[in-house]
Amino acid sequence: MRLFFFLYSWLVFVPLVAVTTLLLGAVCLLLVPFLPADQVSRLTAVPWARLCLLYSGVRVNVHGREHLEPGQSYVIVANHLSQFDIFVLYGYLGVDFRWVMKHELRQMPVI
């Protein structure tokens, strides 16, 4: 079973995530000059995150989203027990949000 997981991870999951990221990233870059950021996010980041979770077999159940009030500001904290926090926040939170990062990360060209 461990061998199957390893093979699936590297031969299926990683290539699918890479292709999905490249395609939807390109669509995002094309749409940014023409649409508001929150709309571009809904059109690209949400499907990207949901597809990545689908590829991995992760099912998400969200509880308490009904307590979020439109127009209200919130601080959302992810504990990063895994890298799947990013997929879950984008794919299933249902609100437009921004990331906060420490200053040193700005020196990394990819981020």
Side-chain angles (χ1 to χ4, degrees):
M1 190 57 138
R2 200 169 191 178
L3 177 63
F4 174 75
F5 176 75
F6 177 81
L7 291 174
Y8 178 81
S9 296
W10 288 103
L11 298 178
V12 178
F13 176 72
V14 170
L16 282 174
V17 169
V19 168
T20 303
T21 300
L22 289 173
L23 288 175
L24 288 171
V27 171
C28 178
L29 291 174
L30 291 172
L31 292 177
V32 163
F34 307 106
L35 297 173
D38 61 331
Q39 195 172 3
V40 173
S41 177
R42 279 193 303 277
L43 292 172
T44 58
V46 172
W48 167 77
R50 288 185 177 202
L51 283 170
C52 291
L53 289 168
L54 177 72
Y55 302 152
S56 68
V58 171
R59 287 188 286 150
V60 177
N61 294 314
V62 178
H63 301 282
R65 188 176 17 192
E66 66 276 4
H67 299 295
L68 297 175
E69 297 176 25
Q72 178 67 38
S73 295
Y74 295 94
V75 174
I76 300 163
V77 179
N79 61 13
H80 284 306
L81 283 173
S82 75
Q83 297 302 318
F84 286 87
D85 292 352
I86 296 167
F87 299 141
V88 172
L89 288 174
Y90 272 124
Y92 291 93
L93 189 60
V95 296
D96 185 36
F97 63 92
R98 301 291 181 264
W99 292 98
V100 176
M101 65 181 173
K102 62 183 184 175
H103 182 69
E104 291 82 7
L105 290 176
R106 290 187 176 264
Q107 296 172 0
M108 298 180 72
V110 175
I111 297 176

